[in-house]
Amino acid sequence: MFARIALSVMALSIVPLVNARLAWADDAQKAAAASQKDGKYLDADGNPTFKIQPDGTVDWYTFSGYRRYHSDCHVCHGPDGVGSSYAPALADSLKSMDYGTFISTVAEGRKNVSGGQESVMPAFGDNKNVYCYIDDLYVYLRARAVGDLPRGRPAKHEDKPQAAKDYENQCMGG
Ligand code: HEC
């Protein structure tokens, strides 16, 4: 039993490395919520994802990601992930960026000096206001990229799960 789990975990971690530079595309089908634990939704590959109910109610993490995005990212990336003259539209970027690449890009930042003009994505790897909410940011932007999440503040959201409160206390305090 354990051996089988270990093997499938290995298989999962090898695939992204092999495919890292091949075109990868996300879509609504891949992002469909396949399971849920304590109010956090996962797709069939086990990556965090959003859940939008028919009446527009979003899961807690999507709502939280909306708020975090607009406090830490929108100054450069524009409201609702639509981009600006300075930084790319993350609502487009996430159509072809997987979870692991998103995490490492936000943690490490990026500097692009091509074309003479320097554009800099700061590294947020030691910023608790960002990394304690990195999955929230990811699922919000994923919902904007491949879900039907409209622009603006989601009108209705699920209650904050106890697991989110516990994780927040541990991450922000530790
Ligand atoms: C100070 C401005 C600034 C802030 C704040 C900022 N970014 Fe960026 N970000 C950039 C720039 C500029 C780029 C493009 C860098 C390049 O040209 O490679 C970028 C690139 C990215 C990319 C890669 C996009 C792609 O298409 O390859 C991701 C993902 C990203 N940012 C996420 C975030 C998140 C999440 C936040 C908030 C926590 C954030 N950024 C905050 C400026 C910023």
Side-chain angles (χ1 to χ4, degrees):
M1 186 59 179
F2 275 133
R4 271 179 55 192
I5 293 172
L7 268 180
S8 48
V9 168
M10 267 176 65
L12 274 177
S13 54
I14 287 167
V15 170
L17 285 178
V18 172
N19 286 336
R21 288 293 147 205
L22 298 177
W24 185 88
D26 202 1
D27 58 34
Q29 212 180 339
K30 270 187 206 155
S35 64
Q36 191 256 119
K37 190 172 183 294
D38 302 326
K40 187 163 191 168
Y41 294 85
L42 301 176
D43 65 20
D45 292 329
N47 292 320
T49 196
F50 55 88
K51 173 82 177 180
I52 306 173
Q53 292 166 29
D55 72 351
T57 302
V58 301
D59 66 282
W60 166 259
Y61 293 94
T62 296
F63 178 69
S64 168
Y66 164 84
R67 294 201 307 193
R68 298 290 158 184
Y69 176 87
H70 288 89
S71 68
D72 287 297
C73 319
H74 101 283
V75 285
C76 292
H77 288 280
D80 308 310
V82 298
S84 73
S85 56
Y86 183 69
L90 298 180
D92 288 333
S93 298
L94 266 73
K95 291 185 166 91
S96 56
M97 180 178 283
D98 63 31
Y99 176 56
T101 311
F102 176 80
I103 303 277
S104 57
T105 305
V106 178
E108 293 159 21
R110 194 193 280 176
K111 195 172 189 172
N112 188 345
V113 288
S114 67
Q117 212 196 357
E118 189 177 275
S119 70
V120 178
M121 162 70 190
F124 286 100
D126 57 5
N127 182 333
K128 287 186 181 186
N129 290 317
V130 173
Y131 76 67
C132 291
Y133 304 95
I134 195 71
D135 282 359
D136 313 38
L137 287 161
Y138 176 72
V139 299
Y140 164 67
L141 290 167
R142 195 177 192 189
R144 288 284 300 136
V146 301
D148 292 328
L149 186 67
R151 290 190 61 166
R153 182 187 173 94
K156 287 179 279 189
H157 59 84
E158 291 180 17
D159 290 341
K160 185 171 187 175
Q162 186 59 43
K165 295 178 192 169
D166 293 346
Y167 179 76
E168 184 173 48
N169 286 338
Q170 177 211 324
C171 187
M172 292 298 284

